[in-house]
Amino acid sequence: PAKAGAATAAAAVLAQAPAGRLLHPVEANELFLRFPAEEAARLRGQGFGFHDIGGASRVVTSWHQGEADVRPFADALAAL
């Protein structure tokens, strides 16, 4: 349970950054976001990975990621 909580907390950090891009409420360690292709390419060019699924981008956090681990991605999302 503690490990799952860490992943969910990391997802919550990411959920605060995308300003209107979040497609569904974050209830666990997955986020579904919407990016235009050029923004997705820019994020990937910065080394961030996520999956494209049916017009959305799926981001999954891991139990071993804390806020400090996801902060660079959250900052990149906020800068879009």
Side-chain angles (χ1 to χ4, degrees):
K3 291 179 181 180
T8 302
V13 169
L14 293 174
Q16 295 173 11
R21 298 174 188 274
L22 194 63
L23 298 176
H24 305 286
V26 176
E27 297 176 353
N29 67 323
E30 293 183 307
L31 295 89
F32 292 89
L33 306 166
R34 185 178 321 257
F35 306 117
E38 60 276 359
E39 290 179 347
R42 188 174 343 148
L43 290 168
R44 287 187 172 109
Q46 295 175 51
F48 302 112
F50 45 88
H51 303 280
D52 296 325
I53 299 175
S57 296
R58 177 178 170 250
V59 176
V60 181
T61 57
S62 171
W63 63 268
H64 68 282
Q65 291 177 309
E67 180 176 344
D69 299 308
V70 300
R71 178 57 52 200
F73 190 31
D75 291 345
L77 291 172
L80 291 176

